[in-house]
């Protein structure tokens, strides 16, 4: 999931429990998406509102986690 975000292939929805889309398709592991966002590893690339999809981006911690894998 982090690799897809790093490659610019992912979008995330706004809201407290966001959804992740990769190549336009919803990611089937919603809990993993929630965990990654709540852990501060990925976020919307710009402000968004509930349900609106925007590009996802890695945070500094997300880049570090990806580099360590």
């Amino acid at each position: 999931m982090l690799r897809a975000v790093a490659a610019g292939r992912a979008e995330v929805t706004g809201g407290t429990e966001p959804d992740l889309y990769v190549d336009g398709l919803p990611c089937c592991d919603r809990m993993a998406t929630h965990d990654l966002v709540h852990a501060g590893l990925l976020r919307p690339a710009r402000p968004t509102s509930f349900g609106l999809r925007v590009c996802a981006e890695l945070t500094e911690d997300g880049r570090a986690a990806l580099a360590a894998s």
Side-chain angles (χ1 to χ4, degrees):
M1 293 169 78
L2 293 178
R3 284 186 180 94
V5 173
R9 298 173 38 217
E11 297 174 298
V12 67
T13 60
T16 57
E17 299 296 341
D19 292 320
L20 186 70
Y21 292 77
V22 176
D23 297 332
L25 300 172
C27 182
C28 64
D29 193 342
R30 295 181 73 205
M31 290 307 299
T33 299
H34 300 166
D35 291 344
L36 292 171
V37 171
H38 293 301
L41 301 180
L42 68 92
R43 64 182 172 217
R46 62 181 175 85
T48 186
S49 57
F50 179 78
L52 180 64
R53 277 198 268 182
V54 298
C55 291
E57 69 180 6
L58 295 179
T59 63
E60 186 73 28
D61 289 342
R63 287 189 290 278
L66 188 57
S69 65

